[in-house]
Amino acid sequence: MRRVVGSNYATAHAVMRARVEVIAAYPITPQTQMVEHIAKFINDGIMDCEYIKVEGEHSSISAVIASQAAGVRSFTSTASQGLALMHELLFSAGGLRLPIVMGVVNRSVGSTGGIWVEYNDSMPQRDCGWLQMYVETNQEVHDMILQAYKIAEDKRVLLPIMICSDGFILSHTVEPVELAEQEEVDEFLPKYEARHSYLDPKDPIGSGIVTPREYRQEFAYQIHRAMLEAKDVIEEVNRDFADAFGRDHSGLVETEFMDDADAAFLTLGTVTSTARGVVRELREKGKKVGLVKVRAFRPYPVEKIAEVCGDVKAVGVYDRSVSFGVGGPHYLEARNALFDSDVPVIDFIGGLGGRDVTEADVRSIYEVLLEAAKTGKAKRNVEWVSTRGVALG
């Protein structure tokens, strides 16, 4: 069924089709519509689900941790300060290996605050044991919610996952989206069967209790290993989804014009769409530029990045967040992936607080990268895009 919808509706519809049985979420702009749509589905009798009303995000994540630990497929969603309020419990969900799916509609965390997109809400949660995927379109967010359950519930992973979408750019912008039918999803996504950390009154266990020093390190290693194995699972589930629905989102990364590129730009989220147009324009002018859309931030596709950027002469990394005094979080990950490369790797921080990243901005970024590819040097390692008082290059 093809409809013109925003990402909040697309997410809600996919959650319904995934036959989620428990939802607990607290409204916060720009995510509010998502829970409103879900509440309407339940009220209209087209979704069989328990919706738990809560007084805040600390309670909503607590509720879905409990429901998932009872063996029930669960969902929550939030944004910005709401995600920050969940922080303490995010470690519990990861540590208990509970495959919860959360829709995060990215929004800046203050102060200074705002209601528009920035990744300084989700990226600081990178070490909580959650997978993080970033999407470009409303179709992709719908499809990734369905894929997310299959990825998270795979026995090689069993970790919670966030599907991160750009606030307002996707949440409040409508696009044509192919909404999955129930029969299609039932065939793709089997019923959830809890195999671990399962609270059964007939077989009592202790879960999430204090861990002696003799065992804590092994728990952490198992999560680390599961995060690494998730890379293969993400690729496999993407292929399964493409076979079932005819839409291939390319797994961990998607590339464009990378075969002979001198300069590559690594993007996340909706800025990718802007960069696509610029890359095609520059290619028509004979510029050897390429684009790498990074879809997974946790696990970060280290090997894929090293592979696709292996022959380029300069790499740019887009960041819609900043780790003050160092650069952007994405830059740190990409530079780590390319640690044994001698090409310049340049961070481009822009779009903070929802500021537009325009085609002109991306053209300027590629100019800096092509100059670095020619000289083999970066004038600066961290560049601030369209920032008052700061010039690129």
Side-chain angles (χ1 to χ4, degrees), residues 23 28 47 60 79 97 99 147 150 154-155 172 220 246 305 346 349 373 388 391:
I23 292 171
I28 178 172
M47 183 175 184
S60 64
R97 309 288 300 273
Q147 291 190 39
K150 198 161 185 175
D154 189 288
K155 65 181 180 182
H172 289 64
I305 297 299
I346 306 173
I349 297 172
R388 293 178 181 86

Side-chain angles (χ1 to χ4, degrees), residues 22-24 59-69 74-76 98 100:
V22 171
I23 292 171
S59 298
S60 64
I61 187 66
S62 299
V64 295
I65 287 171
S67 61
Q68 191 77 44
S74 306
F75 176 80
T76 187
L98 299 173
I100 299 165

Side-chain angles (χ1 to χ4, degrees), residues 235-285:
E235 299 278 14
E236 291 171 16
V237 171
N238 177 72
R239 287 194 292 271
D240 291 347
F241 188 87
D243 291 341
F245 295 90
R247 295 187 292 275
D248 186 345
H249 295 291
S250 302
L252 295 166
V253 302
E254 177 188 344
T255 61
E256 192 162 342
F257 296 114
M258 284 298 295
D259 287 346
D260 63 344
D262 286 338
F265 187 34
L266 277 56
T267 60
L268 284 163
T270 58
V271 79
T272 307
S273 298
T274 308
R276 287 184 196 279
V278 174
V279 167
R280 291 165 190 172
E281 170 193 306
L282 295 176
R283 276 282 170 173
E284 289 177 359
K285 296 178 179 177

Side-chain angles (χ1 to χ4, degrees), residues 8-59:
N8 282 332
Y9 185 91
T11 299
H13 191 276
V15 169
M16 176 175 63
R17 290 293 188 244
R19 295 192 186 276
V20 171
E21 294 180 275
V22 171
I23 292 171
Y26 192 76
I28 178 172
T29 302
Q31 159 266 19
T32 303
Q33 294 173 338
M34 189 185 297
V35 290
E36 289 176 343
H37 289 307
I38 290 172
K40 187 173 188 308
F41 293 157
I42 296 171
N43 182 65
D44 291 348
I46 60 174
M47 183 175 184
D48 184 14
C49 177
E50 185 72 28
Y51 191 115
I52 303 174
K53 296 178 181 177
V54 291
E55 71 278 18
E57 290 84 356
H58 195 276
S59 298

Side-chain angles (χ1 to χ4, degrees), residues 129-167:
W130 286 64
L131 283 72
Q132 288 190 17
M133 303 290 292
Y134 289 76
V135 301
E136 180 185 357
T137 66
N138 294 346
Q139 183 69 67
E140 191 176 2
V141 72
H142 167 275
D143 296 350
M144 277 313 301
I145 290 293
L146 299 176
Q147 291 190 39
Y149 281 106
K150 198 161 185 175
I151 294 166
E153 294 170 5
D154 189 288
K155 65 181 180 182
R156 293 167 288 178
V157 181
L158 291 174
L159 288 173
I161 181 170
M162 300 179 191
I163 304 302
C164 303
S165 56
D166 290 8

